[in-house]
């Protein structure tokens, strides 16, 4: 390398060294906002001298007079900065934020306890939620919800699947995907030999801590639902959705209410004879609009429209003081199920 080239390289390096602090200085107000958001909250504040010292860590110099102006500009921008005088010293803090701490705690709890979200994604989402709090409040978010034995989904692709389903819903288009199940040796096995399902998506719903796609099966010509975490290789097919007439006849809330664990069965109007204490469970499941008809001082009857599956029968078995009394075919199904269970444990 000749002297001219060497001198040119040296000058470029010097420019880089000078440019760093200068660029930081131009970003002074941004670093000031960062410091206030991270270091202050309702219970923690900073003096101007403390702010000056913290800015130095970002290679930013600041005079008290310029900080007054910057703080006022941040207030105009929308940051809720409060200045308080203790003796001769002013203290500054961010008093309110986009999310209250109690709201962040609820969101963290929901993410942490959700089976739908993988462990890895839970950690990522909680870290992002912590960024909406000060460093002191973030410590309060790093807590463990009591979810002993909670099984998290293992399908990391589920977020991309949901994104594709939403895209199809917005575009009113069809989707195709593969569907899998778990084998006894804990391996994923594609159903139907890996053949693709062709479905017109109409809704996403949440039931029993799982995410479901509700759509119209283009081959079987009927409404079906699929576990989103068991869908693979989801893609949008830009063809007009089918099943519009079928979905116009139904309400999604009624559809999910009548299914137990999203298990299909014959749709029936079932009459239940219940002891009064069971009203709480019945109302929790079917809502306050359902009529409870008093039978005597200790009992009431209720008629529910449900898909009669083995899971529904198990749900009835688990509620003390609740008995199916009609229709007769559903009563017979319950008797057969009880007999089957008895034979299993004899």
């Amino acid at each position: 390398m000749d002297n001219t080239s060497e001198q040119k390289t040296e000058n470029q390096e010097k420019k880089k060294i000078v440019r760093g602090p200068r660029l930081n200085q131009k970003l002074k107000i941004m670093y000031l906002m960062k410091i206030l958001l991270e270091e202050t909250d309702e219970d923690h504040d900073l003096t101007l001298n403390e702010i000056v010292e913290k800015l130095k860590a970002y290679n930013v110099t600041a005079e008290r007079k310029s900080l007054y102006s910057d703080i006022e500009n941040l207030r105009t921008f929308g940051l809720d900065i409060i200045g308080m005088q203790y003796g001769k010293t002013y203290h500054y803090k961010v008093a309110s934020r986009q999310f209250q701490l109690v709201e962040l705690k609820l969101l963290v709890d929901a993410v942490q306890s959700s089976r739908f979200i993988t462990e890895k994604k839970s950690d990522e989402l909680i870290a992002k939620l912590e960024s909406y709090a000060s460093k002191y409040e973030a410590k309060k978010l790093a807590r463990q919800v009591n979810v002993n034995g909670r099984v998290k989904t293992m399908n990391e692709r589920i977020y991309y699947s949901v994104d594709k389903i939403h895209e199809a819903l917005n575009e009113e288009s069809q989707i195709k995907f593969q569907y899998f199940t778990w084998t006894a040796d804990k391996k994923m096995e594609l159903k139907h030999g890996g053949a693709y399902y062709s479905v017109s998506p109409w809704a996403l719903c949440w039931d029993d801590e799982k995410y479901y796609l509700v759509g119209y099966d283009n081959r079987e010509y009927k409404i079906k639902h699929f576990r989103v975490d068991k869908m693979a290789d989801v893609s949008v097919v830009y063809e007009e959705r089918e099943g519009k007439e079928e979905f116009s006849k139904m309400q999604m809330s009624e559809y999910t209410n009548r299914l137990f664990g999203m298990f299909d069965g014959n749709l029936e109007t079932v009459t239940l004879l219940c002891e009064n204490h069971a009203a709480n469970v019945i109302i929790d499941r079917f809502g306050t609009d359902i009529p409870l008809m008093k039978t005597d001082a200790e009992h009431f009857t209720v008629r529910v429209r449900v898909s009669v599956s083995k899971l529904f029968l198990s749900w009835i078995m688990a509620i003390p003081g609740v008995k199916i009394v009609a229709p007769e075919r559903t009563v017979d199904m319950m008797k057969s199920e009880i007999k089957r269970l008895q034979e299993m444990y004899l």
Side-chain angles (χ1 to χ4, degrees), residues 59-110:
N59 292 322
V60 174
T61 59
E63 297 178 354
R64 294 169 63 91
K65 185 181 293 185
S66 68
L67 286 177
Y68 289 131
S69 175
D70 289 336
I71 288 171
E72 192 55 43
N73 286 335
L74 286 175
R75 283 175 176 150
T76 303
F77 179 70
L79 207 61
D80 185 17
I81 303 172
I82 293 178
M84 302 154 295
Q85 187 173 5
Y86 301 125
K88 295 182 179 180
T89 307
Y90 263 91
H91 296 245
Y92 295 89
K93 67 181 181 181
V94 176
S96 63
R97 298 163 187 267
Q98 186 173 0
F99 290 99
Q100 297 178 26
L101 181 59
V102 66
E103 293 172 332
L104 290 174
K105 286 179 178 178
L106 287 172
L107 291 172
V108 167
D109 288 353

Side-chain angles (χ1 to χ4, degrees), residues 87-204:
K88 295 182 179 180
T89 307
Y90 263 91
H91 296 245
Y92 295 89
K93 67 181 181 181
V94 176
S96 63
R97 298 163 187 267
Q98 186 173 0
F99 290 99
Q100 297 178 26
L101 181 59
V102 66
E103 293 172 332
L104 290 174
K105 286 179 178 178
L106 287 172
L107 291 172
V108 167
D109 288 353
V111 168
Q112 218 166 35
S113 60
S114 174
R115 292 183 59 170
F116 170 74
I117 306 173
T118 63
E119 288 287 353
K120 180 183 176 182
K121 197 63 178 180
S122 291
D123 293 341
E124 291 175 3
L125 290 174
I126 290 171
K128 290 176 181 179
L129 288 171
E130 287 175 355
S131 69
Y132 285 94
S134 70
K135 67 179 185 181
Y136 307 103
E137 291 176 332
K139 291 178 181 178
K140 299 177 183 179
L141 295 176
R143 59 197 190 143
Q144 293 298 316
V145 182
N146 184 17
V147 286
N148 294 336
R150 178 59 52 85
V151 178
K152 287 281 200 175
T153 183
M154 291 174 282
N155 184 1
E156 287 287 347
R157 299 288 302 174
I158 192 169
Y159 316 105
Y160 304 101
S161 298
V162 171
D163 186 56
K164 289 294 183 184
I165 292 169
H166 276 297
E167 181 184 344
L169 287 169
N170 291 333
E171 297 292 332
E172 298 187 355
S173 297
Q174 301 177 21
I175 60 171
K176 69 173 185 177
F177 57 89
Q178 294 171 304
Y179 206 55
F180 69 85
T181 186
W182 291 104
T183 64
D185 54 0
K186 299 182 181 179
K187 293 183 179 179
M188 295 184 199
E189 182 178 82
L190 293 174
K191 300 189 76 172
H192 302 311
Y196 280 83
Y197 289 67
S198 177
V199 173
S200 296
W202 287 91
L204 280 165

Side-chain angles (χ1 to χ4, degrees), residues 12 308 323:
Q12 287 174 340
V308 179
K323 177 182 177 182

Side-chain angles (χ1 to χ4, degrees), residues 13-54:
E13 292 300 319
K14 285 181 179 179
K15 286 181 181 179
K16 287 180 183 178
I17 294 171
V18 173
R19 191 178 294 124
R22 284 181 179 174
L23 178 60
N24 285 1
Q25 199 65 32
K26 289 180 179 180
L27 296 175
K28 181 181 71 168
I29 193 168
M30 304 300 292
Y31 284 118
L32 173 60
M33 181 169 68
K34 176 179 171 67
I35 289 166
L36 288 170
L37 286 171
E38 290 181 352
E39 304 276 347
T40 74
D41 53 42
E42 193 172 337
D43 300 315
H44 302 86
D45 51 51
L46 293 172
T47 65
L48 282 181
N49 287 338
E50 289 171 332
I51 291 172
V52 168
E53 289 302 311
K54 290 184 180 295

Side-chain angles (χ1 to χ4, degrees), residues 270-274 301-302 322-331:
V270 178
T271 303
L272 306 175
L273 176 64
C274 311
T301 56
V302 60
V322 175
K323 177 182 177 182
I324 299 173
V325 293
E328 192 63 34
R329 57 180 168 271
T330 305
V331 175

Side-chain angles (χ1 to χ4, degrees), residues 257-285:
N257 270 344
R258 74 190 186 208
L259 295 174
F260 279 74
M262 299 300 286
F263 277 77
D264 273 326
N266 293 324
L267 190 60
E268 300 274 10
T269 298
V270 178
T271 303
L272 306 175
L273 176 64
C274 311
E275 294 177 7
N276 287 339
H277 64 78
N280 185 56
V281 179
I282 297 297
I283 290 172
D284 277 349
R285 175 68 205 196

